[in-house]
Amino acid sequence: MTIYLTGADRNAARRFRHQVRRRAFLLASALLRFTLSEVLGRPPGRITLERRPQRRPRVVSPRWAGQVALSVTHTDRWVLVGVLPGRARLGVDLEPTDRQPAEKLAEKLPWPDASRGSKLLQRWTLVEAALKAQGRGLTGLSGLELIGGRQEAWRFESEGWRILSAPLKGLAGYPREVGAVAVACEMS
Ligand SMILES: CC(C)(COP(=O)(O)OP(=O)(O)OC[C@H]1O[C@@H](n2cnc3c(N)ncnc32)[C@H](O)[C@@H]1OP(=O)(O)O)[C@@H](O)C(=O)NCCC(=O)NCCS
């Protein structure tokens, strides 16, 4: 029998009080193990994942797998995980269209012009994906600089990282969700 969830995953999931959130965490763990086992050629239950609060997920063992970037996002209806082999880092973000960032956060988005509604939410996901790829999460918002780009993809820089973030166009058939995927490379 193939094991996609370990005792450690179940223990870690206990920190979530709400069942929907707990299940999303477990599903993300199983999806990460499934994909990592394909990429690393290891049984999914033999891969040690670290999933700490406010940190990006990472592979702890096998050690040589340290250069696989992982990212996770959830809404009430979706769980999306990303696995990217190599030295670059990955960030994914999804938001339901009935959410909006708080005004104070929206003001800190790095575009020179203000935005509202669906455009604001798309920008928000582009930034969240970028900050997840960089690894700082929301605490990195004030240090994120917009370098250029247009609707298809945007370029950011932050604390020695060059980040490319693009809207998830594949979600076009799912009008209740907006998303983005970002890849960060360390500047040499
Ligand atoms: C935690 C944060 C990275 C993203 O939170 P979020 O958008 O609410 O939630 P998501 O489902 O998209 O992402 C959560 C996942 O991000 C990952 N994550 C957490 N901190 C991270 C970090 N510093 N770097 C990269 N990934 C991180 C974790 O895998 C987490 O999943 P887990 O808790 O099940 O382990 C952070 O940026 C945050 O708190 N954002 C505020 C959310 C907000 O105000 N949203 C407004 C809605 S429009």
Side-chain angles (χ1 to χ4, degrees), residues 21 50 95 135 168-169:
R21 189 64 181 81
E50 181 184 86
E95 298 292 345
L168 274 172
K169 295 285 187 197

PDB file of all heavy atoms in Angstrom, residues 21 50 95 135 168-169:
ATOM      1  N   ARG A  21      -9.810  23.739   6.904  1.00  0.00           N
ATOM      2  CA  ARG A  21      -8.397  24.123   6.818  1.00  0.00           C
ATOM      3  C   ARG A  21      -7.489  22.914   7.076  1.00  0.00           C
ATOM      4  O   ARG A  21      -6.464  22.739   6.417  1.00  0.00           O
ATOM      5  CB  ARG A  21      -8.168  25.237   7.852  1.00  0.00           C
ATOM      6  CG  ARG A  21      -6.840  25.910   7.777  1.00  0.00           C
ATOM      7  CD  ARG A  21      -6.654  26.637   6.466  1.00  0.00           C
ATOM      8  NE  ARG A  21      -5.344  27.257   6.407  1.00  0.00           N
ATOM      9  CZ  ARG A  21      -4.233  26.615   6.084  1.00  0.00           C
ATOM     10  NH1 ARG A  21      -4.273  25.336   5.778  1.00  0.00           N
ATOM     11  NH2 ARG A  21      -3.075  27.241   6.057  1.00  0.00           N
ATOM     12  N   GLU A  50       8.947  19.468   5.713  1.00  0.00           N
ATOM     13  CA  GLU A  50       8.818  20.426   6.816  1.00  0.00           C
ATOM     14  C   GLU A  50       7.743  21.414   6.426  1.00  0.00           C
ATOM     15  O   GLU A  50       7.831  22.039   5.369  1.00  0.00           O
ATOM     16  CB  GLU A  50      10.148  21.147   7.018  1.00  0.00           C
ATOM     17  CG  GLU A  50      10.101  22.140   8.161  1.00  0.00           C
ATOM     18  CD  GLU A  50      11.399  22.900   8.261  1.00  0.00           C
ATOM     19  OE1 GLU A  50      11.540  23.919   7.564  1.00  0.00           O
ATOM     20  OE2 GLU A  50      12.275  22.469   9.028  1.00  0.00           O
ATOM     21  N   GLU A  95      -6.912  33.096  -4.714  1.00  0.00           N
ATOM     22  CA  GLU A  95      -7.875  33.794  -3.850  1.00  0.00           C
ATOM     23  C   GLU A  95      -9.260  33.666  -4.463  1.00  0.00           C
ATOM     24  O   GLU A  95      -9.409  33.772  -5.684  1.00  0.00           O
ATOM     25  CB  GLU A  95      -7.552  35.289  -3.740  1.00  0.00           C
ATOM     26  CG  GLU A  95      -6.218  35.633  -3.123  1.00  0.00           C
ATOM     27  CD  GLU A  95      -6.112  35.291  -1.644  1.00  0.00           C
ATOM     28  OE1 GLU A  95      -7.155  35.050  -1.003  1.00  0.00           O
ATOM     29  OE2 GLU A  95      -4.972  35.272  -1.137  1.00  0.00           O
ATOM     30  N   GLY A 135      10.011  33.789  -0.169  1.00  0.00           N
ATOM     31  CA  GLY A 135      10.055  33.085   1.112  1.00  0.00           C
ATOM     32  C   GLY A 135       9.708  33.934   2.317  1.00  0.00           C
ATOM     33  O   GLY A 135       9.645  33.435   3.428  1.00  0.00           O
ATOM     34  N   LEU A 168      -2.482  32.981 -13.317  1.00  0.00           N
ATOM     35  CA  LEU A 168      -2.812  31.598 -13.708  1.00  0.00           C
ATOM     36  C   LEU A 168      -3.982  31.640 -14.681  1.00  0.00           C
ATOM     37  O   LEU A 168      -5.142  31.663 -14.266  1.00  0.00           O
ATOM     38  CB  LEU A 168      -3.181  30.779 -12.469  1.00  0.00           C
ATOM     39  CG  LEU A 168      -2.024  30.150 -11.716  1.00  0.00           C
ATOM     40  CD1 LEU A 168      -2.529  29.536 -10.417  1.00  0.00           C
ATOM     41  CD2 LEU A 168      -1.303  29.113 -12.550  1.00  0.00           C
ATOM     42  N   LYS A 169      -3.659  31.636 -15.959  1.00  0.00           N
ATOM     43  CA  LYS A 169      -4.696  31.771 -16.986  1.00  0.00           C
ATOM     44  C   LYS A 169      -5.606  30.540 -17.063  1.00  0.00           C
ATOM     45  O   LYS A 169      -6.741  30.625 -17.482  1.00  0.00           O
ATOM     46  CB  LYS A 169      -4.042  31.961 -18.355  1.00  0.00           C
ATOM     47  CG  LYS A 169      -3.269  33.240 -18.478  1.00  0.00           C
ATOM     48  CD  LYS A 169      -4.197  34.419 -18.622  1.00  0.00           C
ATOM     49  CE  LYS A 169      -3.389  35.668 -18.904  1.00  0.00           C
ATOM     50  NZ  LYS A 169      -4.141  36.879 -18.681  1.00  0.00           N
TER      51      LYS A 169
END
